[in-house]
Amino acid sequence: MLMPSQGVRILVATKPVDFRKGHDGLAALVQSTLAEDPFTGTVFIFRAKRADRMKILFWDGSGLVMAYKRLEESTFTWPAIRDGAMTLNRAQFEALFAGLDWRRVRSLEARTPAVAE
């Protein structure tokens, strides 16, 4: 399964995109619409007009990777449609990818433990 490592930026393009676009078309959208660099390792998530489809694009250091997911019996819970993108943390991304309501997911914030002497 495709899961970004901890600490990787995850951005959701909130406006639906033309799902006929492939690697290069989505990378061009990242640059022109989101004003981001598609070759930094950031994970970009795109939605179709139909809420049951997502595409994921990221640079793995040697090439652009694109994944496509379609839910069979439900729809993804997408952010409100507006210009730009919004950031998800890894737990929210995993919930979105699984078809769950990512808005109900909160990451645990662990403080750095003190060293015992």
Side-chain angles (χ1 to χ4, degrees):
M1 182 150 66
L2 172 75
M3 288 294 157
S5 62
Q6 203 63 30
V8 170
R9 278 180 73 213
I10 303 167
L11 294 178
V12 178
T14 56
K15 273 191 174 178
V17 301
D18 180 352
F19 256 40
R20 294 174 293 185
K21 291 187 184 301
H23 297 74
D24 295 330
L26 291 176
L29 273 178
V30 167
Q31 290 175 320
S32 64
T33 306
L34 304 179
E36 295 280 343
D37 182 352
F39 306 107
T40 59
T42 298
V43 175
F44 298 97
I45 303 170
F46 300 93
R47 61 169 290 178
K49 286 181 183 158
R50 296 178 65 173
D52 65 341
R53 295 147 202 260
M54 83 165 47
K55 280 189 177 179
I56 301 168
L57 183 77
F58 68 94
W59 176 258
D60 74 350
S62 64
L64 279 172
V65 178
M66 184 176 68
Y68 180 110
K69 182 166 184 177
R70 180 184 70 212
L71 292 178
E72 294 301 326
E73 296 188 16
S74 63
T75 58
F76 293 106
T77 301
W78 292 108
I81 295 174
R82 57 180 178 265
D83 288 338
M86 68 170 292
T87 302
L88 294 183
N89 63 39
R90 183 177 173 178
Q92 291 169 326
F93 169 78
E94 289 178 6
L96 172 67
F97 191 80
L100 304 172
D101 188 348
W102 59 271
R103 297 170 299 183
R104 298 180 183 270
V105 175
R106 300 281 182 262
S107 289
L108 295 176
E109 298 297 327
R111 50 187 179 135
T112 306
V115 177
E117 293 184 27

